[in-house]
Amino acid sequence: MAFVSWEGVLALIAGALYGALFGAVPGLTATLAVALFIPIAFFLDATIALPAIIAISSVAIYAGDVGSAIARIPGTPASAAYADELHSLSRSRGALYGLGISALGSSFGGILGTLVLAGGALALATLAAMFSSFEYFWIAVLGLTAGIFASGRHLLKGFGSLLIGLLLSTVGVDPTLGYPRFHFGNPAFLGGLDYIAVMIGLFGFSEVLYHMGAGTNSARAADASIRREALSNFYAGPLKLIRKARKLVVRSSLLGIFVGFLPGAGADIGAWVACSLEKLTAKRQKNEERVVLAGVSSNNAAVASAWIPALSLGLPGDTVTAMVLGVFMMKGVTPGPLLFQEQMPLIWILFGTFLIANILLLPTVGLLTARIAGTALRLPFNLLLPIIAAACVTGAYAINNNPLDVGVMVLMGVVALMLRRGGFPLAQVVLGMVLGPILEQHFMVSAIKSNWNALSFFERPIALILMGACVATVILGIIAHKRRLTGNNEGG
Amino acid sequence: MPYNSIYLRIPGIVFLILAAAIWLGTRSFPSLPEGYPGPGLFPNALAFLLALVGIGLLWRPTAEVVRATHQLSGKGVTRILGGLSGALLFLLINPLTSIGAAAGMTCLVCGVAMRARIKAVLITSAATGVMIHLLFSGLLAL
């Protein structure tokens, strides 16, 4: 069986180039790139859309480092964790050297993440086949709990975002009696808010409004010296460093895999955790290369591992997988154990494209991206934003040919802008929207099945283990949160 | 607007209003037979939690708002309104013309709002409109 078709390979290459553009331009994120691609993906076969999405997210996360290396402007939030170190390294040893570490480190992290994804997703799906509504309820609770603690410094705001997402998921008919809720008399809302329109609003249009409000006109001029650097600077030097610091690469990748696995966390947090750990445990004062290597291997490992809970349980590991789950739902594909029985070719395509993206695409497109970065960084923002705005409205409209979806998209963009300005995280809104129906449906089914006996939620062994995991997440989350606050206070 | 304590408490107030609105909105929802909670259970639980978060935000407001957007200028608000108008214009124009032309108009209005050079905006908008028309009306046969 062929892992990937020729159309898939073409989609992979096109997705990589598209992801490279979005990642390289500061302010445009991997999530935005995927959000704008989703309406197109909706019309494509899953075997073509999936490779493209994987290539977009993998390459955009790497390309986010280009801005950091050249102009100290992180292209994506995942790059911000080590932007200073990468820029300083690029100034002292050349931008191609810094970007070589980034591309090859990302590649190694991504390969490790993919291997764990292949093994972990299959194992988790086998286990999930034994789950009943009680276990799924606890899984949703676990996902929401982990999502709160992954929200950063202010847990209350993370919780608030999560509640908003859960609230959005209640629009439409309820899963118990089929009673219409919060549809404002409009039959179009009976099926719930269109997931993709909400995503485009939250991550695409809000980004446009944010930059319009801030008046971002253009990125700083790029350093043209990158074109004069030797090719060996991109491959030989970084490979030597990776061989020397292989334990660091493995450790950071495993950290990224773990963080990516947690619902709502993703590559951004993976990079921050790995970089912080490297800075805390570093023996030498000046260890820029190691900090960058830790960050890049961690964030791309997280990109792959975020797919583990998404495929096997239907829980999104990050915003990209949340959007992919939305596409799955709209195409009638149900993530979970059945996916591994009914759609195995699709799963193999996914694993195969992840490997191709990390083994071939990052080292090659990575170099190409670095070479053309100067041009990409000079793109005037005041022309780029209108194009993105047009793509957002077209994308939202194109899903169902429904003008109402454009209205929903615009409204969500405004809500996201206000949330962002108030310091509320957006990923938790998505998490709430995805997990809300799972939580409510399985709670109601379990409650009715057990004649509203609360003890029935604690009777099954796997349900008890999952409940224990929820308690452990809360305890560990509080400890980690307190440590983070203490660290921040000591650091000023 | 300066960051005083009232400004920081706005999210808490919004959460409380939202909680009250949900609670009022679910009062007419039916119950399951034998009086067990039905479609209103989940939204009511959310309303309760939203109220708790609202009280928490009123009690201890936090000011970790992104520094770059610390203060939104009048010009910034105008640009945002321009962006919103561009998006809403799409809804008005799309029924009258093709999706590409409507998207091009959105691009044009947003570009003008961003005060980009008019010649560059016109070229960009035309190119965007043609690309979107080819992609959605041509390739995807929308």
Side-chain angles (χ1 to χ4, degrees), chain A residues 12 17 79 121 159 190 206 225-226 253 269 272 306 308 327 340 390 394 429 441 475:
Chain A
L12 203 71
L17 294 171
S79 310
F159 188 40
L190 287 176
S206 77
S225 68
I226 197 166
S253 301
I269 297 169
W272 282 101
I308 299 175
V327 175
F340 288 79
T394 313
V429 180
Q441 189 184 353
I475 295 168

Side-chain angles (χ1 to χ4, degrees), chain A residues 302-352:
Chain A
V303 168
S305 70
W307 288 73
I308 299 175
L311 293 177
S312 44
L313 302 171
L315 300 181
D318 61 1
T319 44
V320 170
T321 47
M323 284 186 268
V324 173
L325 286 184
V327 175
F328 275 2
M329 283 184 225
M330 292 181 82
K331 281 184 173 284
V333 178
T334 314
L338 277 179
L339 185 72
F340 288 79
Q341 289 168 18
E342 293 168 0
Q343 304 275 354
M344 209 49 207
L346 193 67
I347 298 292
W348 286 120
I349 284 171
L350 193 132
F351 294 159

Side-chain angles (χ1 to χ4, degrees), chain A residues 383 387, chain B residues 107-108 117-130:
Chain A
L383 288 180
I387 298 172
Chain B
C107 189
L108 183 72
R117 278 182 302 159
I118 197 69
K119 195 175 164 188
V121 174
L122 283 171
I123 294 168
T124 309
S125 305
T128 306
V130 170

Side-chain angles (χ1 to χ4, degrees), chain A residues 154 157 181 210 212 397 421, chain B residues 39 62 64-65 69 79 94:
Chain A
H154 292 285
K157 289 192 172 181
R181 298 184 299 198
Y210 174 84
M212 285 186 116
Y397 177 78
R421 283 187 55 78
Chain B
T62 48
E64 84 299 357
V65 182
T69 58
R79 282 192 295 267
N94 191 44

Side-chain angles (χ1 to χ4, degrees), chain A residues 168-451:
Chain A
L168 292 173
S169 77
T170 60
V171 174
V173 291
D174 95 288
T176 322
L177 292 177
Y179 186 80
R181 298 184 299 198
F182 310 124
H183 62 111
F184 305 104
N186 193 330
F189 286 134
L190 287 176
L193 292 176
D194 189 276
Y195 197 81
I196 305 301
V198 173
M199 295 290 122
I200 296 173
L202 279 176
F203 296 104
F205 198 59
S206 77
E207 197 75 25
V208 172
L209 295 179
Y210 174 84
H211 287 293
M212 285 186 116
T216 318
N217 276 332
S218 61
R220 269 175 275 168
D223 185 352
S225 68
I226 197 166
R227 292 180 191 160
R228 294 192 293 270
E229 281 185 52
L231 202 64
S232 61
N233 227 11
F234 189 82
Y235 291 113
L239 270 177
K240 206 171 146 188
L241 172 73
I242 289 169
R243 205 172 57 201
K244 210 169 82 181
R246 54 189 176 274
K247 278 185 187 169
L248 172 73
V249 174
V250 173
R251 187 186 74 187
S252 305
S253 301
L254 291 177
L255 250 177
I257 288 165
F258 175 70
V259 174
F261 183 83
L262 298 175
D268 312 355
I269 297 169
W272 282 101
V273 171
C275 288
S276 304
L277 187 71
E278 178 52 26
K279 283 175 192 171
L280 284 172
T281 57
K283 287 172 188 160
R284 284 177 297 151
Q285 288 262 310
K286 193 102 173 150
N287 64 340
E288 288 161 345
E289 289 171 326
R290 288 179 63 88
V291 170
V292 173
L293 197 53
V296 296
S297 45
S298 176
N299 64 18
N300 247 43
V303 168
S305 70
W307 288 73
I308 299 175
L311 293 177
S312 44
L313 302 171
L315 300 181
D318 61 1
T319 44
V320 170
T321 47
M323 284 186 268
V324 173
L325 286 184
V327 175
F328 275 2
M329 283 184 225
M330 292 181 82
K331 281 184 173 284
V333 178
T334 314
L338 277 179
L339 185 72
F340 288 79
Q341 289 168 18
E342 293 168 0
Q343 304 275 354
M344 209 49 207
L346 193 67
I347 298 292
W348 286 120
I349 284 171
L350 193 132
F351 294 159
T353 45
F354 254 117
L355 281 176
I356 293 173
N358 285 297
I359 295 171
L360 295 176
L361 278 187
L362 278 176
T364 51
V365 176
L367 180 65
L368 185 71
T369 310
R371 291 279 191 206
I372 60 169
T375 314
L377 277 169
R378 283 194 212 105
L379 277 173
F381 230 65
N382 52 11
L383 288 180
L384 204 58
L385 287 178
I387 298 172
I388 297 170
C392 286
V393 287
T394 313
Y397 177 78
I399 305 159
N400 300 315
N401 273 4
N402 187 356
L404 198 68
D405 288 338
V406 179
V408 169
M409 187 278 292
V410 171
L411 184 69
M412 291 317 299
V414 175
V415 169
L417 180 72
M418 290 196 289
L419 286 174
R420 198 170 162 180
R421 283 187 55 78
F424 289 84
L426 293 183
Q428 275 61 25
V429 180
V430 185
L431 190 65
M433 261 195 94
V434 173
L435 293 186
I438 299 173
L439 182 80
E440 185 179 12
Q441 189 184 353
H442 291 294
F443 174 80
M444 292 305 279
V445 168
S446 304
I448 293 167
K449 212 160 59 179
S450 64
N451 206 19

Side-chain angles (χ1 to χ4, degrees), chain A residues 205 389 393 403 406-407 409-410, chain B residues 81-99 101-112:
Chain A
F205 198 59
V393 287
V406 179
M409 187 278 292
V410 171
Chain B
L81 289 175
L84 290 173
S85 317
L88 295 175
L89 192 67
F90 178 90
L91 294 175
L92 291 175
I93 295 176
N94 191 44
L96 309 173
T97 177
S98 77
I99 193 168
M105 281 306 289
T106 302
C107 189
L108 183 72
V109 173
C110 291
V112 172

